[in-house]
Amino acid sequence: MWSYNYTDELYHYGIKGMKWGVRRYEDKSGHLTPAGKKRYDDYEYSGGKSKKPKLPTVNIVKKQSSSKYSDKSESTKHDIPEKKSKHRQNLEKHYQEKYGMNKSQAEQQAAKRIKAEKIVAGASAIALTSAAVYGAYKYKKYTTDTILDMDTEFQTILGVNKGEKVQLRDQQYATYLNKDKKTFERYFGSNIESRFRWNMDDSKETVSAVSKNIKGQTKVASQKTSRDEFVKLYNSNSDFRAGINSQIRKEAESRGIAQQFRGAKRRKAFDKAAESIKEGKMDEKILRKYGYDAFNIGLVDTNNESKVSTAKIFYDKMKEKGYQAIEDVNDQKYSTNIRGKMPIILFDKDSFSTDTKTYTKEQLDKIISNYSKVSSRKETIDAGKKFVKDTADLFADPLGLGGATMIGGSVVANKAAIHKQVKLYKNAHPNTKMTDKEIYNQILKEYNKKKK
């Protein structure tokens, strides 16, 4: 007779390393794990029929919809093995052949590579979009005229005889943006007043001429419009063309305006324009870019009769088109002392009325003080840049920079060594206004230049 004896022991059968709820060959959704793929890939197929049972198809049953139009639950089939792209297959083959990986390792490496490619592609798309947006903004600014309301105030800083009422000239350099007003007031106000005080000239004073359009809105021509009209006049008006050619050649030879205002960019504009003049005419592309820039820079020279004559021809043409102002290209991108976002040149004086604002001594003292701080800081930074450039050759192995590495095509030096140079610079320049970060960045920049 057979009898069954109850015990307090529980017997469980499995394999070494198995854990509760963890599948070896499939995940919870029914997809094969790397071990499962390897297991089933080892099956041999012949004649379209497998010696082993067909790979399983897993049904995932979704919760039944509460909609009254749905009577049955939906199911989605995941067929194994999953279909691979040609790119993924090529990557797997590459990893197996070149690096000797097995199939599972190659699949994992290919998956990581594709994921990284998607991230890079996304970042590139964002960068391209940002560049496109900025490019669109720049193009719109270049091609679009600026229309200013009737109550817009245009500011010009001048030195005049005491009590003199300022009259708008045939052309008036002015600013209307608040930031530009402060910048130009600080620079010109300080320089004009300092000159008067240095010469102890009590008969003159620094004033702000504030102009308003009394006839309506002020239309400022875009750079594209200004250049287009300049090119048309140059090609159609022989007197205008001869005057421009003569002015540019003289400036390039004598370094008049270009030398007076200094700056390599200005000299380049005049030189490029002069070099392209052949058989009495300038190259169209150079004319539009450097020819107009040289003309715009030269407008400030109101003592030159030839320049005054060509300026009048140009201004009259712009008035016919309904404009009262053009952009001041020089103070936008060529000036070495001061630059503004949108300085302009007013030329339709009959449309404007001007009031004179006189500064108090306290206001002028503050303007001079603020300019001195900015100027002193700029000179200190320039001196620091020169020091860094002159000592860049000292950044050698003894300072620990020999172990620099390449990251993204740039040389990255040992931080401790650069901090040492920062300390040396501060010891040599105890009154420097440059921050440690500014000194550090400048040293690193110069070092990278030397090593590239």
Side-chain angles (χ1 to χ4, degrees):
M1 183 178 177
W2 180 83
S3 64
Y4 183 82
N5 296 322
Y6 291 94
T7 67
D8 293 332
E9 297 177 357
L10 175 65
Y11 290 87
H12 176 74
Y13 297 92
I15 62 172
K16 185 178 181 180
M18 71 180 297
K19 296 182 180 179
W20 182 262
V22 178
R23 299 183 181 184
R24 188 176 184 186
Y25 301 120
E26 296 179 9
D27 57 24
K28 291 182 179 180
S29 65
H31 288 87
L32 288 178
T33 63
K37 290 180 181 179
K38 187 174 186 308
R39 175 184 174 87
Y40 288 111
D41 283 340
D42 290 339
Y43 292 160
E44 297 179 2
Y45 293 86
S46 60
K49 293 184 179 181
S50 174
K51 295 181 181 179
K52 297 288 184 180
K54 193 175 182 180
L55 297 179
T57 297
V58 182
N59 292 330
I60 300 178
V61 181
K62 293 184 177 180
K63 185 177 179 182
Q64 187 171 348
S65 172
S66 59
S67 172
K68 62 180 180 179
Y69 300 106
S70 179
D71 297 328
K72 298 180 180 179
S73 62
E74 298 178 356
S75 63
T76 306
K77 290 189 175 182
H78 296 268
D79 295 324
I80 301 174
E82 59 184 317
K83 187 176 179 181
K84 298 178 182 177
S85 67
K86 188 173 181 180
H87 177 51
R88 184 185 289 269
Q89 291 174 4
N90 290 337
L91 283 175
E92 291 177 4
K93 183 179 178 182
H94 171 73
Y95 290 129
Q96 286 176 306
E97 293 178 352
K98 187 169 182 178
Y99 299 105
M101 296 182 180
N102 59 37
K103 187 171 180 63
S104 177
Q105 292 173 330
E107 286 176 342
Q108 293 180 29
Q109 193 64 30
K112 290 179 182 178
R113 169 69 177 270
I114 290 172
K115 185 177 180 180
E117 288 175 352
K118 289 179 179 179
I119 293 172
V120 172
S124 300
I126 292 172
L128 288 172
T129 302
S130 300
V133 170
Y134 180 71
Y137 163 76
K138 294 289 285 185
Y139 181 76
K140 183 179 179 182
K141 185 177 183 296
Y142 176 78
T143 58
T144 306
D145 297 333
T146 302
I147 310 297
L148 302 173
D149 293 334
M150 190 173 180
D151 59 350
T152 302
E153 293 186 348
F154 303 94
Q155 174 183 278
T156 305
I157 308 300
L158 300 166
V160 298
N161 294 321
K162 276 191 175 180
E164 178 184 349
K165 181 174 174 57
V166 177
Q167 298 290 334
L168 194 69
R169 305 167 186 171
D170 290 336
Q171 66 172 28
Q172 189 85 19
Y173 287 82
T175 56
Y176 66 90
L177 296 176
N178 288 332
K179 186 175 180 181
D180 284 352
K181 285 181 179 180
K182 291 179 181 178
T183 302
F184 282 71
E185 180 184 63
R186 184 171 59 235
Y187 176 77
F188 288 106
S190 174
N191 281 277
I192 293 172
E193 184 62 21
S194 295
R195 186 168 68 249
F196 291 161
R197 293 184 182 186
W198 177 263
N199 296 328
M200 292 183 288
D201 190 347
D202 296 332
S203 65
K204 298 184 182 299
E205 62 182 349
T206 305
V207 300
S208 170
V210 180
S211 305
K212 282 188 177 183
N213 194 328
I214 57 177
K215 293 185 178 180
Q217 295 177 322
T218 301
K219 193 174 181 182
V220 184
S222 67
Q223 284 206 36
K224 183 179 185 303
T225 301
S226 299
R227 292 174 193 274
D228 287 345
E229 295 303 323
F230 174 78
V231 171
K232 289 177 184 177
L233 275 174
Y234 184 88
N235 291 328
S236 62
N237 189 318
S238 58
D239 292 336
F240 183 80
R241 179 170 61 252
I244 295 296
N245 288 346
S246 175
Q247 294 163 23
I248 290 176
R249 278 173 173 160
K250 286 180 180 178
E251 291 295 345
E253 292 170 2
S254 66
R255 302 291 188 186
I257 288 292
Q259 186 63 31
Q260 177 185 345
F261 290 112
R262 301 180 296 279
K265 288 182 69 176
R266 283 195 189 92
R267 291 196 293 273
K268 180 181 177 181
F270 283 97
D271 291 343
K272 285 278 188 183
E275 289 169 4
S276 72
I277 300 175
K278 295 176 181 178
E279 298 180 359
K281 211 165 185 179
M282 203 181 303
D283 176 77
E284 183 84 11
K285 188 176 179 181
I286 299 295
L287 173 65
R288 180 175 294 276
K289 184 177 181 180
Y290 295 109
Y292 176 77
D293 284 359
F295 166 72
N296 192 288
I297 293 170
L299 289 173
V300 72
D301 190 1
T302 54
N303 295 321
N304 186 307
E305 291 184 6
S306 174
K307 291 181 180 179
V308 171
S309 176
T310 52
K312 187 177 185 309
I313 295 173
F314 179 72
Y315 288 149
D316 288 343
K317 185 67 175 178
M318 297 305 288
K319 286 179 188 177
E320 289 179 12
K321 298 290 182 179
Y323 296 100
Q324 293 84 39
I326 59 173
E327 295 182 27
D328 178 9
V329 174
N330 179 63
D331 285 339
Q332 275 192 32
K333 67 176 184 178
Y334 286 105
S335 177
T336 56
N337 296 316
I338 184 172
R339 290 190 188 181
K341 186 175 182 181
M342 190 64 173
I344 60 174
I345 305 173
L346 303 172
F347 52 76
D348 188 4
K349 66 178 183 179
D350 295 334
S351 298
F352 296 89
S353 66
T354 304
D355 293 326
T356 304
K357 172 189 171 184
T358 304
Y359 294 103
T360 65
K361 184 178 182 303
E362 290 73 19
Q363 288 174 327
L364 289 170
D365 288 342
K366 187 176 181 180
I367 289 173
I368 293 173
S369 175
N370 289 338
Y371 174 72
S372 297
K373 289 177 182 177
V374 174
S375 178
S376 176
R377 178 172 174 77
K378 184 177 183 299
E379 289 174 1
T380 304
I381 290 174
D382 289 342
K385 289 180 179 179
K386 186 176 185 303
F387 169 82
V388 169
K389 192 171 184 179
D390 292 342
T391 58
D393 291 330
L394 299 176
F395 300 165
D397 291 349
L399 295 178
L401 297 178
T405 57
M406 295 293 294
I407 296 181
S410 299
V411 180
V412 180
N414 184 290
K415 287 186 177 181
I418 298 183
H419 280 300
K420 184 177 180 180
Q421 288 300 310
V422 172
K423 189 174 181 181
L424 288 173
Y425 174 79
K426 292 180 75 174
N427 289 338
H429 302 79
N431 297 323
T432 180
K433 291 182 173 62
M434 291 178 71
T435 64
D436 286 1
K437 185 175 181 180
E438 289 172 334
I439 300 172
Y440 177 96
N441 289 337
Q442 187 60 31
I443 291 174
L444 186 60
K445 183 178 178 182
E446 293 297 330
Y447 178 73
N448 285 332
K449 283 183 181 178
K450 293 286 182 181
K451 289 295 182 181
K452 280 184 178 179

